[in-house]
C-alpha cells in the first residue's frame, strides 16, 4: 500500500540541511589524489554552457536533449504518468532531466519509490529530503502484506523476495495509483536484456513484457496508444552509459546519496564480497564479524543483496577515474541478476522494471 | 562501458589526468550506427568482436559467455552472445530484436544498433536503422549479395542513412581472396547505384579472427584501406541540420503562472535566436521569439537537436502539434502527399485503409489513398501493386484529415518522417518517409471524389440506424458540435443521396444495406454516456477521423 507520508515540516527541513552540509562537501573542496587543478575543473563547468558556435552537441548534451524530449512526450500524451524513483544515481539524473524538461514549471507527475524496507538507512534519509527540497511530489509504496509475513531474501530466496517486495509491489502501486505510464532510470548498457528494450516498453494488463513482440520504434516518434489497463514503461536514459551518468552528475553538480563515496563502513568480508550488515538478515558464519572497511557502493539496492566494493574514491571525478580502471560491470555486485542465466529477462517478463 | 570508454592503457600510456580525461570527454561526438545484412552473415559476431577489441566488454560478461552452454562459432568465444541477449535468441542462435550497445574511443562515443537479419524481423531492423548515421552492411564472402542484403541496403537508403560500410565478412573462409572481395564489391556498387548514399566504404574483414576490425590485419596485404574502427572514428558526422531551415515542433506548453507561457520542444533543424520573427503553423500568425528559457538560464540562441522552451512577444494560441518556423523558410503544408512506406503488420495494407498518422508532435487520422508501387527486392524495380504485405517497401499516397507541415524526408529526417498506427490494435504498422506533396492537377477538375469529401469533412458518410429518438437527437447534436455534416431524418428520406453527399444520416431504420445498426450495440442507459460510446465506436470503425490527443496540454 501507499505509505502515509509526513508533510514536509520544519524539523525535517532542518535535518535535511544539516544532513546535506555534513554529507556533501562540494566536489571542489574534496582533496583529489594526484595533481589537482581546481581551475581546470572550473573550466570544464564553464565549457558546458551551450555554445552556439559548436556545429553539433557534445554527446552528453545530445543525450540530455533526447531524454528531455522523451519526458515531455510522455507528459503530453499520457493521462497519468509517474516517475519511478529508486534513489540511486540514475534516478538522480532522471530527476534533474525532469526539472529541466518542465522548467520553469513544476514536474507534472509524482515520483514513486517502491520501498522493500531493506534499503540502506542513508538512502531513506536522502529520499525523505531531496525530492521535497526541489518541490517534487514523492509517493512511497510498500507491499505491507508480504513484509508483515516476514518476506526476506534469506528465507524466501532472492528471486521470490524480489518478486514480492519489488515486482508485486510495483504492479500493485501502478494499478492502485491508476498510472498509465511509468518512467524508469534503467539504461541499456546495464544488462543484456535491457539492451533489447525499447524506450517505450509496452506492458499488458499484467505489467508483463513480451520481448519477442515489441512495437517498432522509429526516429523520435513514439506510439503512445494503449488500451485501458495496459501501460508503458519509459526509459529516458536508455542510451546513457554508467560513465555518462557520472560525468553528468559531475557537470551538473547533482547531489547523490553519500553511499556512493568511499569511507570506512562496517562490512562482513566473505570470500571476495563485502556484505553490509544493516538489516541483520544475512546470518553470520562461525567466526565472522563485521569489520571496518574502506569501501563504497557502486549501485544501490537492498542491503542484503548489494555488495560494496573496496574503494578510495571520495569524489565524483575519483569515482569516474576508478570506473575507468575497472574491468567488471556494475551489476556484478547485484545478487539478483545472477540467480540464473537470463534472469533479468525473466523478471522483466513478470513485470519487473 | 567503462572499459571501452577508456582503454586503460590509453589513460596511463598517454598519462591523462582525470581532469584532462573529463575535458576530452566533453568534446566527444556521438555517432550512431546500425548493422544490416542477411541472417548469419556475422553481424552480431562483428559487433561482439568490435566491443571486445575496443574493450567495451567487462570481464564478468566475458566470463558468462565463456561459461555459456551455447557456442556456435568455430572460435574459443562466441562473440554473438554479447549482443544476442534474449533467451530465445541464445537458444535459437539468431537475433530477433535490435540490441543497443555502447562503446567509445578517445574521439567518439558510439551507439550501435545490432539488428536482426531474418526477413520476418525486418521491422526491428528498421527500428535500429531509423536513427543511424551510418550502416554496416555485412555480406558473407561465400554467399555474396543476397536478397536480404538488398532489402536492408534499400531500407538503409530509404531511411536516409548517408554512409555505408560494405563489410565483406568471413574472409577467412575464402582464403582472404582478393577476387572474391572485388566481385562482391562490384555487385554491391552496381545494385546500389541509384541509392543516394554519400559514401560507400568496402572493407574485407573476418569478424571471427578480428582481421580489419579494430585494426588492420596482416592476412590481406592487398587491401590498403582503413580498418573498420578507423573508418568509424573518422567518418564525418553531418551537422548540416543546423544550417537548414528552422523547424521547431511544439511538444508541450508550459504555463506555471499567468506571466509565463512557454512552448517546449526539441529543435528538429535549424537555429533560433531571441528576436527572430517566427510564423506559427498552422494558424499562420506571426510573432517574435521573446526568450529561450532553460533550467540553466536564458539563452540567446539555440540549435538542433537541443530541447528548449521559448516564449513569444505576443499572446498566441499555440498548442502541441503546432510548429514554429522562420517566415521566409516555410515547410510544405498539405493534406495529401506521396511517401515511401515500410509496411510492418501481418495483415496486408490495401488502399482505402484508415489509420492514425503520427508526425512530429501531431497525430491525425489518415487514409491510404492508393498504393502506387511496390519494390521488387530481386529486380529492384518498382511495380504496380494492389497491396503491401509484411515487410514490403512501397510508394503510397496518403490523405490526412488535416494538413501536416513537413519537409521532404531527404531534406529533413525528422519533419519528413511519420509512423502509421492501427487504431484497433494500437500497433505501429508503418514507417513513412515523405517524398512530396501532391499538387492538384487538371485531373482534379473532375467530379469531387468521396476521398476529397472525407478529407474536407473529417469523416466518411454513414447511415446510422438508431430507434431511440431522444438519443438520436443527442447524437446529432454531438456530431454537429464535433464538426460533422450530420442530419437526423424520418425513415424513408432520400438517404442514398445524403450518403453520396458525404453526410452522416441518423434514422430509426434504413432499407439500405450500408446502414450501421446501432440498436444492436450494448449502450449505457445514460444518454450522454451512450452518445460517447457511439462516438468512440465511430472513431474505431474509421467513420470519424480520430485526431484527439490523449493527454493534457501544459501544466
Ligand atoms: N569463419 C568465420 N565465421 C564467422 C565469421 N563471422 C561470423 N561467423 C560465424 O557465422 C555464424 C553467424 O554469425 P552471427 O554473428 O550470429 O550472424 P548474424 O545473424 O548476422 O548476427 C556464427 O556461427 C559465427 O561464428 C567470420 O569472420 N569467420
Ligand atoms: Mg545477429
Amino acid at each position: 500500500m501507499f505509505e502515509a507520508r509526513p508533510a514536509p515540516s520544519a524539523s525535517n527541513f532542518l535535518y535535511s540541511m544539516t544532513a546535506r552540509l555534513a554529507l556533501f562537501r562540494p566536489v571542489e573542496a574534496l582533496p583529489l589524489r594526484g595533481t589537482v587543478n581546481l581551475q581546470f575543473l572550473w573550466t570544464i563547468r564553464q565549457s558546458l554552457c551551450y555554445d552556439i558556435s559548436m556545429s553539433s552537441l557534445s554527446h552528453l548534451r545530445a543525450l540530455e536533449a533526447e531524454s528531455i524530449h522523451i519526458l515531455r512526450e510522455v507528459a503530453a500524451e499520457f493521462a497519468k504518468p509517474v516517475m519511478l524513483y529508486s534513489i540511486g544515481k540514475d534516478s538522480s539524473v532522471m530527476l534533474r532531466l525532469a526539472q529541466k524538461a518542465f522548467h520553469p514549471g513544476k514536474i507534472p507527475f509524482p515520483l514513486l519509490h517502491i520501498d522493500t524496507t531493506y534499503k540502506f538507512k542513508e538512502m531513506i534519509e536522502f529520499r525523505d529530503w531531496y525530492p521535497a527540497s526541489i518541490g517534487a511530489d514523492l509517493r512511497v509504496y510498500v507491499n505491507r502484506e508480504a513484509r508483515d509475513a516476514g518476506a526476506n531474501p534469506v528465507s524466501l530466496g532472492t528471486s521470490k523476495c524480489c518478486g514480492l517486495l519489488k515486482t508485486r509491489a510495483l504492479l500493485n502501486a501502478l494499478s492502485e495509483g491508476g498510472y498509465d505510464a511509468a518512467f524508469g532510470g534503467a539504461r541499456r548498457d546495464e544488462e543484456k536484456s535491457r539492451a533489447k528494450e525499447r524506450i517505450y516498453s509496452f506492458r499488458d494488463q499484467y505489467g508483463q513484457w513480451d520481448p519477442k513482440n515489441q512495437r517498432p520504434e522509429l526516429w523520435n516518434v513514439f506510439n503512445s496508444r494503449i488500451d485501458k489497463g495496459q501501460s508503458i514503461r519509459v526509459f529516458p536514459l536508455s542510451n546513457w552509459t554508467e560513465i555518462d551518468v557520472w560525468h553528468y552528475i559531475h557537470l551538473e553538480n547533482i547531489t547523490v546519496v553519500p553511499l556512493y563515496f568511499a569511507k570506512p563502513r562496517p562490512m562482513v568480508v566473505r570470500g571476495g564480497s563485502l556484505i553490509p550488515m544493516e538489516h541483520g538478515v544475512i546470518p553470520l558464519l562461525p567466526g565472522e564479524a563485521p569489520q571496518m572497511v574502506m569501501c563504497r557502493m557502486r549501485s544501490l539496492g537492498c542491503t542484503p543483496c548489494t555488495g560494496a566494493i573496496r574503494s578510495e574514491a571520495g569524489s565524483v571525478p575519483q569515482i569516474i577515474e576508478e570506473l575507468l580502471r575497472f574491468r567488471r560491470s556494475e551489476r556484478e555486485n547485484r545478487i539478483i541478476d545472477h540467480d540464473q542465466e537470463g534472469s533479468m529477462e525473466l523478471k522483466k517478463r513478470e513485470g519487473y522494471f | 562501458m567503462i572499459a571501452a570508454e577508456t582503454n586503460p592503457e590509453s589513460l596511463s600510456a598517454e598519462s591523462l589526468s582525470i581532469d584532462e580525461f573529463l575535458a576530452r570527454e566533453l568534446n566527444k561526438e556521438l555517432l550512431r550506427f546500425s548493422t544490416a545484412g542477411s541472417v548469419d552473415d556475422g553481424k552480431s559476431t562483428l559487433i561482439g568482436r568490435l566491443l571486445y577489441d575496443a574493450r567495451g566488454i567487462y570481464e564478468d560478461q566475458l566470463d558468462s559467455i565463456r561459461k555459456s552452454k551455447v557456442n556456435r562459432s568455430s572460435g574459443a568465444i562466441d562473440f554473438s552472445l554479447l549482443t544476442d541477449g534474449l533467451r530465445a535468441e541464445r537458444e535459437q542462435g539468431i537475433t530477433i530484436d535490435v540490441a543497443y550497445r555502447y562503446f567509445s574511443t578517445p574521439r567518439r562515443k558510439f551507439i550501435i544498433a545490432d539488428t536482426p537479419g531474418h526477413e520476418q524481423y525486418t521491422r526491428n531492423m528498421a527500428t535500429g536503422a531509423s536513427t543511424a548515421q551510418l550502416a554496416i552492411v555485412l555480406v558473407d564472402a561465400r554467399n555474396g549479395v543476397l536478397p536480404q542484403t538488398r532489402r536492408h541496403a534499400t531500407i538503409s537508403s530509404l531511411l536516409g542513412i548517408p554512409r555505408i560500410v560494405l563489410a565483406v565478412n568471413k574472409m577467412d573462409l575464402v582464403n582472404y581472396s582478393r577476387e572474391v572481395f572485388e566481385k562482391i564489391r562490384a555487385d554491391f556498387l552496381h545494385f546500389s547505384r541509384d541509392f543516394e548514399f554519400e559514401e560507400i566504404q568496402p572493407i574485407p574483414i573476418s569478424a571471427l579472427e578480428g582481421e580489419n576490425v579494430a585494426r588492420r590485419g596482416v592476412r590481406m596485404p592487398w587491401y590498403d584501406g582503413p580498418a573498420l574502427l578507423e573508418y568509424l572514428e573518422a567518418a564525418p558526422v553531418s551537422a548540416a541540420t543546423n544550417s537548414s531551415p528552422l523547424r521547431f515542433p511544439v511538444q508541450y506548453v508550459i504555463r506555471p503562472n499567468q506571466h509565463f507561457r512557454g512552448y517546449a520542444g526539441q529543435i528538429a533543424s535549424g537555429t533560433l535566436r531571441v528576436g527572430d520573427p517566427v510564423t506559427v503553423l498552422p494558424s499562420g500568425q506571426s510573432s517574435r521569439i521573446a526568450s529561450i528559457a532553460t533550467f540553466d538560464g536564458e539563452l540567446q540562441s539555440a540549435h538542433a537537436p537541443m530541447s528548449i522552451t521559448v516564449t513569444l512577444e505576443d499572446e498566441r494560441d499555440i498548442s502541441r502539434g503546432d510548429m514554429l518556423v522562420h517566415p521566409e523558410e516555410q515547410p510544405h503544408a498539405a493534406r495529401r502527399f506521396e511517401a515511401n512506406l515500410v509496411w510492418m503488420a501481418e495483415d496486408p495494407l490495401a488502399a482505402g485503409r484508415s489509420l492514425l498518422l503520427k508526425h512530429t508532435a501531431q497525430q491525425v487520422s489518415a487514409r491510404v489513398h492508393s498504393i502506387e508501387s511496390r519494390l521488387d527486392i530481386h529486380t529492384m524495380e518498382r511495380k504496380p501493386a494492389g497491396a503491401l504485405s509484411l515487410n514490403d517497401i512501397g510508394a503510397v499516397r496518403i490523405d490526412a484529415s488535416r494538413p501536416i507541415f513537413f519537409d521532404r524526408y531527404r531534406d529533413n529526417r525528422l519533419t519528413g518522417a511519420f509512423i502509421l498506427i492501427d487504431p484497433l490494435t494500437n500497433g505501429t504498422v508503418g514507417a513513412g518517409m515523405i517524398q512530396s506533396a501532391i499538387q492538384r492537377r487538371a485531373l482534379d477538375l473532375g467530379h469531387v471524389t468521396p476521398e476529397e469529401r472525407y478529407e474536407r469533412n473529417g469523416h466518411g458518410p454513414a447511415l446510422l440506424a438508431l430507434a431511440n429518438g431522444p438519443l438520436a437527437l443527442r447524437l446529432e447534436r454531438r456530431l454537429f458540435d464535433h464538426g460533422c455534416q450530420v442530419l437526423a431524418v424520418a425513415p424513408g428520406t432520400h438517404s442514398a443521396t445524403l450518403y453520396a453527399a458525404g453526410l452522416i444520416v441518423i434514422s430509426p431504420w434504413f432499407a439500405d444495406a450500408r446502414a450501421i445498426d446501432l440498436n444492436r450495440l450494448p449502450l449505457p442507459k445514460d444518454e450522454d454516456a451512450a452518445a460517447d460510446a457511439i462516438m468512440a465506436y465511430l472513431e474505431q470503425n474509421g467513420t470519424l477521423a480520430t485526431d484527439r490527443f490523449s493527454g493534457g496540454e501544459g501544466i
Side-chain angles (χ1 to χ4, degrees), chain B residues 43-44 84 94-95 114-115:
Chain B
K43 296 179 292 298
S44 301
D84 290 339
I94 58 165
T95 307
D114 180 34
T115 70

Side-chain angles (χ1 to χ4, degrees), chain A residues 260 262-263 274 294-296 309-314 319 322:
Chain A
Y260 284 116
K263 77 169 194 189
L274 300 180
M294 187 70 174
C295 63
R296 66 179 202 89
I309 54 170
R310 287 178 195 274
S311 167
E312 303 270 317
I319 288 175
E322 181 185 271

